[in-house]
Amino acid sequence: MSNETALSVRENRPLTANVLKYIAIAAMLIDHIAWSFVSDYSVLGQIMHVIGRLTAPIMCYFIAEGYYYTRNVKSTC
């Protein structure tokens, strides 16, 4: 694959790291709003909590990516 092709493939990816972070932030905000203002036993509350549960797998993905790409994995303690 040439450099131009690789660059165009990278530019066309719709889910970049920043987009995933914004999705996680929005999902967490929706979950917090549900905990604060919506009844837990309503259908809307349950849907909002399910949306909020997207945050954990996205953050775990970033933890794994950070560990994979780090150069120093030794603990500082």
Side-chain angles (χ1 to χ4, degrees), residues 41-55:
Y41 301 108
S42 68
V43 174
L44 178 63
Q46 292 299 313
I47 291 171
M48 292 174 79
H49 289 307
V50 168
I51 291 171
R53 299 305 181 242
L54 292 172
T55 303

Side-chain angles (χ1 to χ4, degrees), residues 17-73:
N18 282 335
V19 172
L20 282 174
K21 289 175 192 175
Y22 293 138
I23 291 170
I25 290 169
M28 187 179 291
L29 179 65
I30 289 169
D31 190 43
H32 283 43
I33 290 171
W35 281 113
S36 299
F37 301 112
V38 181
S39 172
D40 291 339
Y41 301 108
S42 68
V43 174
L44 178 63
Q46 292 299 313
I47 291 171
M48 292 174 79
H49 289 307
V50 168
I51 291 171
R53 299 305 181 242
L54 292 172
T55 303
I58 293 172
M59 291 299 138
C60 291
Y61 168 76
F62 282 121
I63 290 170
E65 282 286 305
Y67 182 79
Y68 179 76
Y69 286 111
T70 190
R71 293 180 192 267
N72 184 6
V73 293

